């Protein structure tokens, strides 16, 4: 069940950061309606990217770094994988609105946040495997 804990770790961080960053971005666009819409869509986008990134990182760990070690190669691989998954998923999900104002900034924000959490992921994976 360690794989589910790894996925849950990334999902929780994706959902919370999506809610916070979505609310901030929505508030900048429209103070009242944007806050609520940003919160709603931030949670949805954060949860979706968190699950996809969590699954991708669990598969990466299983196939290439099992048992994981907290190395620079593992961190770099995690960041590259999460960045590709996040950009692809954001562009796919946000394509509905069609304007670059509503697609590019959330994609950049989500990718930066996911990359930050991916940088921390190897340390968490090593700790979980040591239990």
């Amino acid at each position: 069940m360690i794989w589910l804990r790894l996925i849950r770790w990334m999902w929780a961080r994706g959902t919370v950061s999506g809610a916070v960053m979505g609310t901030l971005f929505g508030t900048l666009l429209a103070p009242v309606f944007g806050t609520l819409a940003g919160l709603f869509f931030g949670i949805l986008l954060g949860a979706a990217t968190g699950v996809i990134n969590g699954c991708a990182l669990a598969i990466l760990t299983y196939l290439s770094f099992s048992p994981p070690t907290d190395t620079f190669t593992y961190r770099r691989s995690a960041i590259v994988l999460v960045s590709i998954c996040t950009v692809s998923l954001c562009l796919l999900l946000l394509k509905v609105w069609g304007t670059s104002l509503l697609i590019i900034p959330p994609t950049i924000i989500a990718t930066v946040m996911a990359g930050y959490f991916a940088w921390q992921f190897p340390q968490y994976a090593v700790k979980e495997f040591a239990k």
Side-chain angles (χ1 to χ4, degrees):
M1 292 287 110
I2 191 167
W3 307 110
L4 291 178
R5 286 196 305 263
L6 296 179
I7 293 169
R8 186 184 68 213
W9 187 87
M10 198 64 182
W11 170 78
R13 279 144 185 83
T15 304
V16 170
S17 69
V20 171
M21 299 312 263
T23 302
L24 292 174
F25 181 69
T27 303
L28 290 176
L29 290 179
V32 177
F33 178 71
T35 303
L36 297 175
L39 176 65
F40 177 73
F41 288 112
I43 289 172
L44 289 179
L45 186 61
T49 57
V51 167
I52 298 298
N53 290 337
C55 290
L57 287 172
I59 291 169
L60 172 74
T61 304
Y62 178 75
L63 295 178
S64 300
F65 298 97
S66 190
T69 56
D70 191 9
T71 62
F72 180 73
T73 305
Y74 187 23
R75 286 182 188 266
R76 185 181 59 212
S77 300
I79 290 171
V80 168
L81 180 66
V82 163
S83 297
I84 291 169
C85 290
T86 302
V87 168
S88 302
L89 188 63
C90 286
L91 292 178
L92 180 71
L93 293 177
L94 295 175
K95 188 178 177 182
V96 175
W97 289 288
T99 63
S100 61
L101 177 64
L102 295 175
I103 294 175
I104 302 301
T107 302
I108 292 170
I109 292 168
T111 304
V112 169
M113 293 303 294
Y116 172 73
F117 293 128
W119 181 258
Q120 297 176 341
F121 183 80
Q123 184 180 9
Y124 174 75
V126 168
K127 186 176 78 174
E128 284 298 311
F129 270 84
K131 286 184 179 179

